[in-house]
Amino acid sequence: MNHYPNWKNILIAMIVVVGILYALPNLYGEDPAVQVSQEKADITAGTAQGLIETRLKDAGLTFKPLEARDERLLVRMTSYEDQQRAKQIIRDTLGDGYHVALNLAPNTPGWLRSINALPMFLGLDLRGGVHFQMEVDMETALENSLERYQDDIRTTLRKKKIRYSRLRIDGDSVEVRLKSAADLGVAEDVLGSAFAVLDITSSDRDREFVLKAKMTEDEVREVKEFAIQQNITTLRNRVNELGVMEPIIQRQGEDRIVVQLPGVQDTAEAKRILGATATLEYRAVDTEHDVAEAVAGRVPAGSRLYRERDGKPILLKKKKIATGDQIINARSGFDNQTGGPQVSVTLDGQGAKNMLKFTKKSVGKPMAVVFIENRSKTQMVDGQEKITSYKVEEVISVATIRGVFGKQFQTTGLDSPREAHNLALLLRSGALAAPVRIVEERTVGPSLGKDNIDKGFRAVVIGFVLVLIFMAIYYKVFGLVADVALALNLILLVALLSMLQATLTLPGIAGIVLTVGMAVDANVLIFERIREEIRNGSSPQASIQAGYEKAFSTIIDANITTLIAAIVLFSFGTGPIKGFAVTLSLGIITSMFTAILGTRAVINLLYGGRRLEKLAI
């Protein structure tokens, strides 16, 4: 009576060994490190390694031997201060074309890494960094889409030689005023067949022949969905350019995006890069019409009035030659002739085709570069803050085309090398489909993160020790067995979190503390049932057997209800709540294993197959 078959004992022992192995990496700690990679090459095969070592030694920084991993270099530092200095030195040494990222590198031994035993990820509240919740400006996304349809409708009508007197955006639709009823009918047919995603309506009251094109509800939903997905992709690219490891970028609701950047402490820089919407447009200069007349209000059809950075007006063609979304690469540098900052631009296939076509017939003519940026400002309206967005468009460069070019060329006229660097970064990562504004912001310093870890660890230890003492005093030998199971429960929980590479947050630590208390609930039920059986006159062996069997259904019911609550929290909660739900769920699973199977195996080894007069319970 009261013994497990050998296979079950071996299985439990194997689970314990595996749990210990995969929990071990969390004991070795982490080094503040700088990770360096090259955009289009294997950095470990070049001369960068020796250059980095030389520069860091010259700066008097202490660092461990450089490690080459997965086409990247890892530079381990001895302090967070040295880590920040090393990042700046490496970035200045290598220049553009390299990603320099702050990282925390685990000290896990090679033999553990060989079996993929890795430590848990630490959340923002434990590692430090910044958290942003961003709202996508869907109104601007719809306006941008309407502007594109306006250009397409204008091009289509001109190709079909349909005359119109005015074409403009009116509210949520594009309005076209035509010259005759015949033109109205033809335009309605042409646009209806060319733009299936637009609702085309027409009216000819009071000899006004008006056609309106409005996006369908399906198209509006499609534009909004594209805006948020494109923004997520762009933000992810920009985070890569910032050099942040293990970022979290995810959608929340219909129009919001959550961005978490572990290790980033410069909030202003992160906000500026993530929220920036700078892009470029290349347009032909209108040399056929008078700028003074355009300033007076008589802007010719097909042209638009702009301002240069010094405020001087300039007339440009409405038709764009190339735009920022056609740029596939951009690098900052200096102009060989003037020494001023410049951005070297590479266009995609369509952009290169358009630029080549334009320059072939425009040698000797001027071309302008328009810098476009969406900004936001906060105003007090009726005692409440109201954030409004506005667009800044300015001509940064006007140059005469000296030769034919297409895919690659340079953009000059920038104010400073820093502006050139930032513009190149934004062009490489792409333009946001719609402006975003930060509606929530949190910053956690690395020292506060370390303090959170220390306090969380202290809470776990205090709870663990108090439970150990109580169980040992109240249940004697059986209490000590429960203590062993509780220690094993913590090991298995940490091992599971490590194997799943789950992110441990401060609420997650709260889940572990709660698990410590709940883990002995099952043992209390079992031990009290055994004591009740002894009081009823059952033999010690029979009491053990009955205690485990009769308490089993109660334990299952209690844990399943808690597990359901944890699943609901995970399904409907946000980041911190999910962290709590994950550790609570895993803790329930491990506590059931250790409290039922683990303690039973130890009790069987101590008391199984023996004639007993009494139990130490």
Side-chain angles (χ1 to χ4, degrees):
M1 183 180 279
N2 293 323
H3 65 86
Y4 276 159
N6 290 333
W7 69 266
K8 188 175 285 190
N9 288 323
I10 293 171
L11 179 61
I12 292 172
M14 287 176 62
I15 292 174
V16 171
V17 171
V18 170
I20 292 172
L21 282 176
Y22 280 87
L24 272 178
N26 296 282
L27 297 178
Y28 290 94
E30 296 174 313
D31 287 328
V34 181
Q35 185 169 285
V36 188
S37 59
Q38 199 168 357
E39 287 182 356
K40 296 184 178 180
D42 180 358
I43 190 173
T44 62
T47 59
Q49 184 168 350
L51 192 60
I52 291 171
E53 288 178 337
T54 302
R55 292 290 187 270
L56 294 179
K57 287 177 182 177
D58 292 343
L61 295 179
T62 304
F63 57 94
K64 298 180 181 180
L66 271 62
E67 300 175 21
R69 291 186 189 174
D70 302 326
E71 300 183 356
R72 298 172 180 176
L73 287 178
L74 192 67
V75 187
R76 294 176 181 267
M77 310 304 296
T78 55
S79 68
Y80 288 105
E81 291 76 14
D82 286 352
Q83 180 194 35
Q84 294 287 346
R85 287 182 59 199
K87 176 187 175 183
Q88 192 60 48
I89 291 169
I90 293 171
R91 179 174 285 172
D92 293 342
T93 300
L94 299 180
D96 287 340
Y98 294 86
H99 294 314
V100 183
L102 294 179
N103 197 3
L104 289 174
N107 282 321
T108 310
W111 65 274
L112 282 173
R113 287 203 305 268
S114 66
I115 60 172
N116 203 32
L118 303 170
M120 293 178 287
F121 284 146
L122 296 181
L124 204 67
D125 48 4
L126 300 180
R127 173 176 284 189
V130 293
H131 166 101
F132 297 122
Q133 187 176 113
M134 306 176 124
E135 186 176 65
V136 181
D137 186 351
M138 290 302 182
E139 290 185 5
T140 301
L142 294 174
E143 289 173 6
N144 292 341
S145 187
L146 268 181
E147 287 179 2
R148 287 193 294 270
Y149 281 123
Q150 180 187 23
D151 292 340
D152 293 342
I153 289 172
R154 180 184 291 110
T155 302
T156 301
L157 293 177
R158 286 179 177 175
K159 281 184 178 179
K160 297 295 183 180
K161 297 183 179 179
I162 300 173
R163 297 175 301 164
Y164 60 89
S165 58
R166 187 170 67 179
L167 193 155
R168 67 187 180 104
I169 293 177
D170 181 25
D172 59 353
S173 61
V174 178
E175 181 185 273
V176 185
R177 291 185 179 269
L178 296 123
K179 294 181 177 294
S180 66
D183 288 338
L184 178 65
V186 174
E188 187 173 6
D189 292 339
V190 169
L191 297 182
S193 59
F195 302 98
V197 294
L198 299 179
D199 282 332
I200 310 294
T201 57
S202 61
S203 63
D204 57 355
R205 293 179 182 178
D206 301 327
R207 301 187 62 79
E208 285 192 350
F209 308 103
V210 179
L211 185 147
K212 287 196 173 186
K214 182 179 178 181
M215 288 187 289
T216 62
E217 291 184 4
D218 288 342
E219 178 65 6
V220 169
R221 280 194 297 270
E222 187 72 22
V223 168
K224 289 182 177 180
E225 183 68 21
F226 172 81
I228 198 143
Q229 294 299 337
Q230 174 66 24
N231 278 9
I232 288 174
T233 301
T234 300
L235 289 173
R236 188 169 285 115
N237 291 337
R238 292 185 180 183
V239 167
N240 291 339
E241 293 284 349
L242 277 172
V244 180
M245 301 306 300
E246 300 165 15
I248 295 174
I249 303 171
Q250 59 190 16
R251 180 175 182 172
Q252 189 173 86
E254 291 186 357
D255 59 354
R256 294 196 174 185
I257 301 171
V258 172
V259 180
Q260 292 186 355
L261 308 176
V264 172
Q265 301 305 315
D266 189 348
T267 310
E269 175 74 3
K271 285 169 66 176
R272 187 183 58 75
I273 294 298
L274 291 178
T277 55
T279 188
L280 298 177
E281 288 179 354
Y282 297 88
R283 295 176 183 264
V285 178
D286 186 350
T287 56
E288 302 167 4
H289 298 92
D290 187 7
V291 176
E293 289 189 4
V295 172
R298 294 182 294 275
V299 180
S303 297
R304 184 177 169 188
L305 188 65
Y306 285 86
R307 298 274 177 179
E308 297 186 50
R309 285 193 158 171
D310 58 3
K312 180 182 176 183
I314 184 171
L315 200 59
L316 305 182
K317 296 287 188 180
K318 281 186 177 180
K319 187 176 181 181
K320 304 167 190 173
I321 305 166
T323 57
D325 56 0
Q326 293 173 325
I327 295 173
I328 58 176
N329 196 16
R331 293 178 182 275
S332 60
F334 294 93
D335 187 8
N336 292 331
Q337 295 181 353
T338 65
Q342 70 164 24
V343 174
S344 299
V345 173
T346 304
L347 296 175
D348 64 9
Q350 184 60 46
K353 181 180 177 182
N354 294 342
M355 185 62 72
L356 183 63
K357 182 179 178 182
F358 174 77
T359 55
K360 275 184 178 179
K361 60 182 182 181
S362 303
V363 174
K365 296 181 180 180
M367 180 178 71
V369 183
V370 184
F371 178 86
I372 302 171
E373 183 178 13
N374 285 292
R375 299 175 183 171
S376 60
K377 61 181 177 181
T378 304
Q379 295 175 318
M380 297 299 295
V381 180
D382 298 329
Q384 293 184 339
E385 285 189 355
K386 184 178 181 182
I387 299 176
T388 56
S389 58
Y390 62 99
K391 184 182 287 187
V392 175
E393 297 178 299
E394 54 187 6
V395 176
I396 62 172
S397 174
V398 179
T400 302
I401 299 171
R402 300 298 182 190
V404 177
F405 55 85
K407 189 171 185 178
Q408 291 183 322
F409 52 92
Q410 287 75 41
T411 294
T412 57
L414 298 157
D415 283 343
S416 64
R418 182 175 180 82
E419 184 182 23
H421 172 77
N422 291 337
L423 180 59
L425 185 156
L426 295 175
L427 293 176
R428 280 199 303 270
S429 58
L432 292 170
V436 294
R437 67 184 182 94
I438 296 170
V439 295
E440 181 187 347
E441 173 187 339
R442 295 199 305 270
T443 304
V444 181
S447 57
L448 180 58
K450 187 177 184 303
D451 187 51
N452 286 340
I453 293 175
D454 293 340
K455 288 181 177 178
F457 182 74
R458 195 179 306 128
V460 173
V461 170
I462 291 172
F464 182 70
V465 170
L466 290 176
V467 172
L468 289 185
I469 293 172
F470 171 79
M471 293 299 289
I473 293 174
Y474 197 78
Y475 291 110
K476 300 181 181 178
V477 173
F478 278 73
L480 291 173
V481 172
D483 290 345
V484 172
L486 183 58
L488 178 59
N489 176 56
L490 277 178
I491 291 172
L492 292 180
L493 178 55
V494 170
L496 277 177
L497 289 170
S498 302
M499 292 169 74
L500 295 173
Q501 287 293 275
T503 300
L504 183 66
T505 60
L506 201 57
I509 292 179
I512 294 176
V513 176
L514 182 60
T515 299
V516 169
M518 293 175 57
V520 294
D521 282 355
N523 290 126
V524 170
L525 289 171
I526 293 168
F527 296 165
E528 287 299 326
R529 191 72 189 189
I530 293 173
R531 293 171 68 171
E532 184 179 342
E533 291 294 325
I534 292 172
R535 286 195 297 269
N536 291 336
S538 298
S539 67
Q541 293 288 5
S543 297
I544 295 173
Q545 181 77 13
Y548 276 95
E549 288 183 355
K550 293 181 179 180
F552 182 76
S553 60
T554 305
I555 295 168
I556 292 295
D557 290 345
N559 282 282
I560 284 179
T561 53
T562 309
L563 188 60
I564 290 171
I567 292 171
V568 171
L569 284 175
F570 184 82
S571 301
F572 296 101
T574 54
I577 303 300
K578 285 179 183 288
F580 174 79
V582 167
T583 53
L584 183 60
S585 303
L586 294 177
I588 290 169
I589 295 169
T590 56
S591 66
M592 288 180 67
F593 171 79
T594 55
I596 298 173
L597 294 177
T599 59
R600 184 68 186 273
V602 177
I603 294 296
N604 287 348
L605 290 173
L606 292 175
Y607 295 111
R610 293 168 53 190
R611 187 178 294 276
L612 301 171
E613 295 296 329
K614 62 178 182 178
L615 294 174
I617 193 170

